[in-house]
């Protein structure tokens, strides 16, 4: 079976991590596949929403530390004692780790944030480290009542990566973010919802059904307006009022050129339900 399952149903792209034996710790190849699927979702007018979920007991246990990115120009994995030019792996030089993070975890989280379609995380189990940040980068987060979220980095003696120190303060404020990152304690789904990290907690049996209902509702919406709304909200905490208001005005200008905007206005004046095409 492939490590990433993918289907498109009723305008929804379902991306499913499928390494249950490893609690869905994500490999470099999986990251590249998911990045490509998110880019495809942005470009495909037939895809109007995305769901990211997983098989088994875990959503994603973070990055799989047994592998790594390809060595520049070689296509070979950076691991073990392989030689890269004249340098034996394990003899790091300054910049190696930063490049690996930028090309890997940060690119991965950026692909979720930049996807032009709404992305729902359906968190079926433990989301740790990069796996937690994958969920937090999504536009909406549904969690099974058995799920938990862990900022595991401090347990390994390292700083958060994969956008964690960017995402968490924006979601729950700096004090709460520091508490989660300083202690590395597991946060049950109900507590994550109370903090504002999760939109809704449902039973494990209801998770897929709820994710499907939410995603298909989004897939029937005005897709370009949703994309512009996502961009505005994601940029809002990094912009001053002048820039935010200018971006809002530009977004509305773009929206008003779409078929869906014309349909929405017509449906309002004709007192009927709008039927959006995503165009």
């Amino acid at each position: 079976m492939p490590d990433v399952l993918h289907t498109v149903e009723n305008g929804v792209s379902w991306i499913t991590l499928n390494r249950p034996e490893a609690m869905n710790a994500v490999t470099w190849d999986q990251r590249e596949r998911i990045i490509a699927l998110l880019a495809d979702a942005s470009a495909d007018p037939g895809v109007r929403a995305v769901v990211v979920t997983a098989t088994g007991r875990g959503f994603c246990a973070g990055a799989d530390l047994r592998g790594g990115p390809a060595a520049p120009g070689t296509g070979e994995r950076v691991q073990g004692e392989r030689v890269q030019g004249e340098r034996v792996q394990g003899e790091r030089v300054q910049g190696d780790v930063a490049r690996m993070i930028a090309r890997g975890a940060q690119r991965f989280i950026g692909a979720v944030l930049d996807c032009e379609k709404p992305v729902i995380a359906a968190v079926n189990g433990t989301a740790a480290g990069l796996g937690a940040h994958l969920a937090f980068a999504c536009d909406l987060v549904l969690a099974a009542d058995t799920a938990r979220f862990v900022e595991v980095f401090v347990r390994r003696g390292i700083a958060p990566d994969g956008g964690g120190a960017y995402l968490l303060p924006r979601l729950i404020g700096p004090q709460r973010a520091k508490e989660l990152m300083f202690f590395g304690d597991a946060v049950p789904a109900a507590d994550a919802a109370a903090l504002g990290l999760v939109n809704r907690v449902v039973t494990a049996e209801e998770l897929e059904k709820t994710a499907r209902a939410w995603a298909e509702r989004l897939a029937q919406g005005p897709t370009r307006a949703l994309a512009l709304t996502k961009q505005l909200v994601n940029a809002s905490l990094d912009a001053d009022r002048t820039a935010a208001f200018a971006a809002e005005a530009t977004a509305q200008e773009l929206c008003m050129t779409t078929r869906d905007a014309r349909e929405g206005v017509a449906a309002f004046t004709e007192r009927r339900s709008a039927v959006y095409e995503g165009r």
Side-chain angles (χ1 to χ4, degrees), residues 222-225 228 248-265 276-279:
T223 307
R224 296 313 305 161
L228 289 164
E248 178 184 88
T250 300
Q252 199 68 293
E253 179 79 24
L254 292 171
C255 273
M256 293 306 293
T257 66
T258 65
R259 294 184 203 171
D260 282 347
R262 292 193 292 273
E263 165 63 8
V265 172
Y276 296 118
E277 303 175 30
R279 299 173 184 267

Side-chain angles (χ1 to χ4, degrees), residues 64-77:
D64 188 333
L65 300 179
R66 293 173 297 178
T74 70
E76 292 191 332
R77 299 293 180 202

Side-chain angles (χ1 to χ4, degrees), residues 69-216:
T74 70
E76 292 191 332
R77 299 293 180 202
V78 178
Q79 61 184 4
E81 294 296 318
R82 296 189 180 181
V83 175
Q84 180 181 343
E86 296 299 317
R87 181 156 58 92
V88 177
Q89 287 305 315
E91 298 177 0
R92 287 191 186 126
V93 298
Q94 192 172 38
D96 280 352
V97 173
R99 280 187 293 272
M100 180 182 70
I101 296 299
R103 291 169 55 198
Q106 291 175 346
R107 238 176 96 245
F108 184 47
I109 297 305
V112 180
L113 294 169
D114 294 339
C115 181
E116 295 179 25
K117 308 299 166 65
V119 183
I120 297 172
V123 182
N124 54 299
T126 297
L130 182 61
H133 300 167
L134 171 60
F136 300 153
C138 292
D139 302 302
L140 299 170
V141 183
L142 293 169
D145 52 10
T146 53
R148 58 183 194 151
F149 301 84
V150 192
E151 286 296 315
V152 75
F153 300 92
V154 71
R155 299 186 187 180
R156 309 287 182 261
I158 57 177
D161 63 34
Y166 174 85
L167 291 166
L168 262 75
R170 286 163 170 75
L171 292 169
I172 60 175
Q175 248 71 26
R176 292 289 195 181
K178 290 172 189 174
E179 180 182 345
L180 298 188
M181 291 178 169
F182 285 1
F183 293 114
D185 295 332
V187 180
D191 292 348
L195 286 169
L197 292 170
V198 169
N199 292 89
R200 187 173 299 177
V201 178
V202 297
T203 65
E205 294 75 22
E206 290 291 309
L207 181 64
E208 182 179 342
K209 178 182 175 182
T210 306
R212 189 175 299 277
W214 280 29
E216 291 184 359

Side-chain angles (χ1 to χ4, degrees), residues 37-61:
L37 288 171
L38 290 165
D40 290 346
S42 290
D44 185 352
V47 172
R48 297 171 65 184
V50 177
V51 175
V52 178
T53 190
T55 58
R57 296 183 300 108
F59 175 71
C60 178

